[in-house]
Amino acid sequence: MKLFYNAHFWINGAFDDTVKGVLTKDGKIADILWSDLNAYSNVEHIDLMGCFMFPGFIDTHTHSFEGGLYSLMIDLNEATCIRDVLDMI
């Protein structure tokens, strides 16, 4: 298990300054800690040195907005001239 501490933790849609640490087990969140971290002396402590932690994000790189726009666009693969394009519109 790992205990991440000394960070700005993003919890429930906002940074929560009352969170003291996040405990993980096998790469998944096991607990969010609001109290003394000394009770967890038997786990690996990882000091994030004031960085930002966004628990739960697995892959935040998406193109969902652009993908949605593309699904609304006209497929011009069959167009061979401007008249074809105008007819499709």
Side-chain angles (χ1 to χ4, degrees):
M1 292 180 54
K2 297 179 181 179
L3 192 154
F4 296 89
Y5 70 99
N6 189 19
H8 303 279
F9 295 99
W10 182 266
I11 306 290
N12 295 325
F15 287 107
D16 188 337
D17 293 334
T18 64
V19 174
K20 302 297 182 200
V22 172
L23 187 67
T24 65
K25 181 178 181 180
D26 299 325
K28 296 180 181 175
I29 296 173
D31 202 359
I32 297 171
L33 310 172
W34 284 274
S35 60
D36 186 22
L37 304 179
N38 292 329
Y40 297 91
S41 59
N42 59 336
V43 299
E44 179 182 358
H45 285 62
I46 299 173
D47 184 349
L48 295 177
M49 298 183 286
C51 290
F52 296 84
M53 184 177 192
F54 297 87
F57 286 161
I58 295 169
D59 183 1
T60 60
H61 182 144
T62 64
H63 294 272
S64 55
F65 180 75
E66 291 89 349
L69 288 177
Y70 293 145
S71 70
L72 298 174
M73 295 185 181
I74 299 169
D75 181 359
L76 299 176
N77 283 327
E78 302 298 319
T80 59
C81 63
I82 191 67
R83 173 57 34 210
D84 290 346
V85 172
L86 294 174
D87 288 344
M88 291 177 182
I89 294 174

